[in-house]
Amino acid sequence: MVCEHVSQAVLTLPVSSTPVYKEECTQCFDDHNMAAGIDVCLSCFNGGCPGAPNNHAHQHAMKSGHHLTVNIRRVRKESDERPTKLTKLEIVEEPENDQYEFETFVRCWGCSGARVDNVPEDVQRVVHAVLHAVEASKGSEIKAWAEEVTACSHFDGLTQAPAADFSSEALHQCSMCDKRDNLWMCLSCGHVGCGRKQYDGSGGNNHAIAHFEQTGHRVSVKLGTITPEGTADAYCYTCDDNKLNPHLAQHLQVFGINVAAQQKTEKSIAELQLEYNLKFDFSMTTADGTQLQPVAGPGLTGLRNLGNSCYLASVMQCVFGIDRFRDRYFPSAADHFLTCSQLHPA
């Protein structure tokens, strides 16, 4: 359909600090896994459910006058492969696109929620930015989890000389293998190498660190994490740690990369750490790597985690480890459960 609201819309791209609610409705629990998906406002990036009974996306559009949204629906890909059991605490990137497909379309609530065809390029750019933005709730969690990254002197006064065979077209693939993700560019010569190999064979092929060992070029940046605000994952191999590069824009300009024109397309180290911390079963191994055997039963099983009850569960586990507490409440517990009159004791 031809929509007048599209031609009249004045939209701006979200920056790294902009909260983008693209996974769950901000007013109810509907999310992007449901059949109707989630509508993300292309003006203020609020997330709303587009279907009955609440239709919060339509309510937001009528209150704010923001007519254009992008509908996002996530669908899990069918696979015959069984998931690999986690046995070690290790940061391994599992691209979301490998597990899910995303169905999207632009909708105009000024035209009764109709689908918009022939979406202009400027609107497509905003949609692309929304799809690659960090979900608002994850953004706050990342700030809570992420360690403080500091600068180091190895980024100061850096000698830069693009290699003779350097080409901007070569930034999309490791120069030593066919890897196209988790790529690190040397800020001294522009060499592009893949990240480190993981213990199970996944990840990269160590070509970025191999370049450092061969040349002594010690600082690099992770391609795909560069934002228009001039932030990105930077690494110093001499310090062997993630570092803040206060001269990133100038360093990239040497290789013809305009920071202001970049869009983040890959997860940062902080985002990967958050995802892994949230899903990892920390009880599987002890500090020395000894495998623990799962146990269950009276005095052993704790509270079921509701998503935000882990602290309470750990406290109660400690309380139930006190002999005087158990002696006071355990003997009468069985009889109380038999005679409790509460319909829902929880």
Side-chain angles (χ1 to χ4, degrees), residues 228-304:
E229 296 77 55
T231 63
D233 277 353
Y235 200 88
C236 176
Y237 290 105
T238 299
C239 299
D240 195 21
D241 203 356
N242 297 317
K243 291 295 179 180
L244 179 68
N245 181 0
H247 315 293
L248 180 65
Q250 298 144 308
H251 289 161
L252 293 177
Q253 189 64 45
V254 173
F255 302 98
I257 300 176
N258 180 9
V259 167
Q262 302 303 304
Q263 289 296 323
K264 183 172 174 292
T265 58
E266 289 197 29
K267 294 175 182 176
S268 66
I269 295 296
E271 292 166 355
L272 295 175
Q273 286 176 331
L274 171 64
E275 288 190 359
Y276 209 87
N277 285 333
L278 290 177
K279 74 178 182 180
F280 187 78
D281 183 357
F282 288 96
S283 64
M284 292 187 297
T285 57
T286 59
D288 61 1
T290 304
Q291 188 76 20
L292 298 178
Q293 296 300 319
V295 294
L300 298 172
T301 303
L303 300 174
R304 183 185 297 275

Side-chain angles (χ1 to χ4, degrees), residues 114-127:
R115 183 189 296 248
V116 177
D117 299 322
N118 302 319
V119 179
E121 184 176 345
D122 58 334
V123 177
Q124 291 182 23
R125 284 197 296 268
V126 178
V127 170

Side-chain angles (χ1 to χ4, degrees), residues 106-143:
V106 174
R107 188 202 309 271
C108 178
W109 287 105
C111 299
S112 303
R115 183 189 296 248
V116 177
D117 299 322
N118 302 319
V119 179
E121 184 176 345
D122 58 334
V123 177
Q124 291 182 23
R125 284 197 296 268
V126 178
V127 170
H128 181 269
V130 167
L131 295 177
H132 288 89
V134 178
E135 216 294 319
S137 60
K138 291 181 180 177
S140 58
E141 291 172 341
I142 288 169
K143 291 179 181 178

Side-chain angles (χ1 to χ4, degrees), residues 62-315:
M62 295 302 100
K63 289 180 180 179
S64 64
H66 300 163
H67 299 298
L68 298 182
T69 63
V70 56
N71 180 270
I72 303 174
R73 179 170 178 254
R74 189 175 73 166
V75 182
R76 180 179 287 276
K77 294 180 180 179
E78 295 184 4
S79 174
D80 296 330
E81 297 182 5
R82 300 183 64 181
T84 304
K85 181 176 176 60
L86 297 174
T87 58
K88 290 186 179 181
L89 178 56
E90 186 170 30
I91 299 174
V92 182
E93 182 168 11
E94 297 180 0
E96 198 171 33
N97 290 337
D98 290 349
Q99 306 173 55
Y100 300 94
E101 293 178 338
F102 289 86
E103 301 173 355
T104 65
F105 66 89
V106 174
R107 188 202 309 271
C108 178
W109 287 105
C111 299
S112 303
R115 183 189 296 248
V116 177
D117 299 322
N118 302 319
V119 179
E121 184 176 345
D122 58 334
V123 177
Q124 291 182 23
R125 284 197 296 268
V126 178
V127 170
H128 181 269
V130 167
L131 295 177
H132 288 89
V134 178
E135 216 294 319
S137 60
K138 291 181 180 177
S140 58
E141 291 172 341
I142 288 169
K143 291 179 181 178
W145 278 93
E147 61 182 350
E148 183 180 2
V149 179
T150 59
C152 77
S153 60
H154 300 119
F155 289 96
D156 299 333
L158 182 65
T159 300
Q160 294 181 275
D165 59 349
F166 174 80
S167 169
S168 59
E169 298 178 357
L171 297 178
H172 305 294
Q173 181 175 325
C174 175
S175 60
M176 302 176 69
C177 69
D178 59 357
K179 290 286 184 181
R180 289 182 171 272
D181 57 358
N182 192 18
L183 299 179
W184 294 79
M185 187 185 80
C186 171
L187 290 175
S188 294
C189 67
H191 174 274
V192 177
C194 55
R196 307 186 191 222
K197 179 174 289 188
Q198 308 299 337
Y199 76 96
D200 61 354
S202 64
N205 293 314
N206 293 331
H207 289 142
I209 193 171
H211 175 73
F212 158 69
E213 294 170 346
Q214 294 168 4
T215 64
H217 297 169
R218 50 196 172 193
V219 292
S220 62
V221 62
K222 184 179 181 182
L223 300 174
T225 65
I226 305 170
T227 69
E229 296 77 55
T231 63
D233 277 353
Y235 200 88
C236 176
Y237 290 105
T238 299
C239 299
D240 195 21
D241 203 356
N242 297 317
K243 291 295 179 180
L244 179 68
N245 181 0
H247 315 293
L248 180 65
Q250 298 144 308
H251 289 161
L252 293 177
Q253 189 64 45
V254 173
F255 302 98
I257 300 176
N258 180 9
V259 167
Q262 302 303 304
Q263 289 296 323
K264 183 172 174 292
T265 58
E266 289 197 29
K267 294 175 182 176
S268 66
I269 295 296
E271 292 166 355
L272 295 175
Q273 286 176 331
L274 171 64
E275 288 190 359
Y276 209 87
N277 285 333
L278 290 177
K279 74 178 182 180
F280 187 78
D281 183 357
F282 288 96
S283 64
M284 292 187 297
T285 57
T286 59
D288 61 1
T290 304
Q291 188 76 20
L292 298 178
Q293 296 300 319
V295 294
L300 298 172
T301 303
L303 300 174
R304 183 185 297 275
N305 186 16
L306 302 177
N308 58 357
S309 60
C310 52
Y311 289 106
L312 175 61
S314 63
V315 170

